Each structure stands twice: as structure tokens, then as C-alpha cells.
Amino acid sequence: MYTAFKHLHSVMAYVLLLGLVLSIIYTLINYLSKKPFTDTTRKIALIGLISAHLQLLIGFVLYFVSPVGISNATEGFMKDSGSRLYILEHPLTMIVAIVLITVGYSGAKRLTDNNKRYKRILIFYTLGLLLILLRIPWSVWPA
């Protein structure tokens, strides 16, 4: 089960990055072109949101079944950079990134001004993407 979730988490990372980049680029193009915020724009932003939430769920499962996850949190794990990354830094940063993405999408849904909707998605999705890129364990990815 662990191996399957580990591979699924790696594959979904590509889907998430692609979904976020697609959402950001599409939104940026529409923002710069001063196009109205349409249902298509909302759905493309939703692709980024859904892929982020799926990746988070898979990550939660891995966190509890992985030998480098919470079961590895023994005394002194903060002194080991690898353990600290998998037990604390990676999960916490990803949760913050996905909260930002969710806030951006939810806020854009409630706004009525097209420019503000586009800006909301652009700012929050870009911040979320940057945090995700910051804490991907590049040395072992894809694993």
C-alpha cells in the first residue's frame, strides 16, 4: 500500500504543478486581455484547486503509512534535516500552500469585479505554487 501511494503522490505532483501553471497562465492571459471572468475561467481555476486537494489527501495518507512520516518522529528528529523535512517542513508548507490556493479560489468566487477576481487567483495561486516548489524534496523526486 505504501509503494502505491508513494507513486500516486509522485504522479499527482506533476498533475498539481501542471494544473496550477495552467490556471495561472490562463488567468493571466485573460486578466491582461481584460476579458470577463467566465465560467470557463472558474473551471480552469477549479482544476488547480481540485488537484491540490487530491494531492493533500494522498499526502496525508502517506504521512501516516510512510516509514519517513510521523512514525519516524522520535526524539531529536529536528536535528536531522531529512527527518525534519518529511515530518514537519514538507507537510506544513504544503498545507499552507493549499490553504492559500483555496482562499484564492473561494475569494474569487465571491467577488463581482473581474479584475479583482483575476488578481485574487493570480496572487494566491502563485504564492501557493511558489511554496510548493520551495518544499518539494527535489533530491528524491520523483521517487
Side-chain angles (χ1 to χ4, degrees):
M1 181 169 117
Y2 163 67
T3 305
F5 272 98
K6 185 176 175 186
H7 289 299
L8 182 59
H9 195 59
S10 292
V11 170
M12 278 303 298
Y14 288 110
V15 173
L16 170 59
L17 293 174
L18 182 65
L20 287 177
V21 169
L22 173 72
S23 299
I24 292 168
I25 290 173
Y26 187 82
T27 303
L28 182 62
I29 289 169
N30 284 343
Y31 173 69
L32 295 175
S33 303
K34 302 204 183 302
K35 292 183 179 179
F37 194 93
T38 63
D39 200 42
T40 304
T41 308
R42 184 189 61 77
K43 287 178 182 175
I44 289 181
L46 187 61
I47 290 170
L49 177 78
I50 290 172
S51 60
H53 283 221
L54 285 174
Q55 181 70 335
L56 180 66
L57 288 174
I58 296 164
F60 278 152
V61 171
L62 265 179
Y63 188 69
F64 292 104
V65 300
S66 171
V68 295
I70 192 68
S71 63
N72 195 31
T74 57
E75 185 176 331
F77 80 89
M78 291 294 282
K79 294 176 184 172
D80 177 34
S81 63
S83 294
R84 186 176 61 242
L85 173 69
Y86 287 113
I87 297 167
L88 182 68
E89 294 171 358
H90 178 74
L92 185 61
T93 306
M94 296 305 163
I95 290 169
V96 170
I98 293 167
V99 165
L100 286 171
I101 292 165
T102 304
V103 167
Y105 180 82
S106 302
K109 258 179 33 174
R110 283 187 242 116
L111 294 171
T112 55
D113 180 69
N114 287 336
N115 281 339
K116 289 182 181 178
R117 292 174 104 176
Y118 285 131
K119 284 181 186 177
R120 183 81 171 215
I121 290 173
L122 285 171
I123 290 169
F124 283 87
Y125 275 46
T126 302
L127 287 173
L129 178 61
L130 289 174
L131 284 175
I132 289 168
L133 291 173
L134 179 70
R135 272 297 153 228
I136 289 176
W138 295 106
S139 61
V140 297
W141 190 67

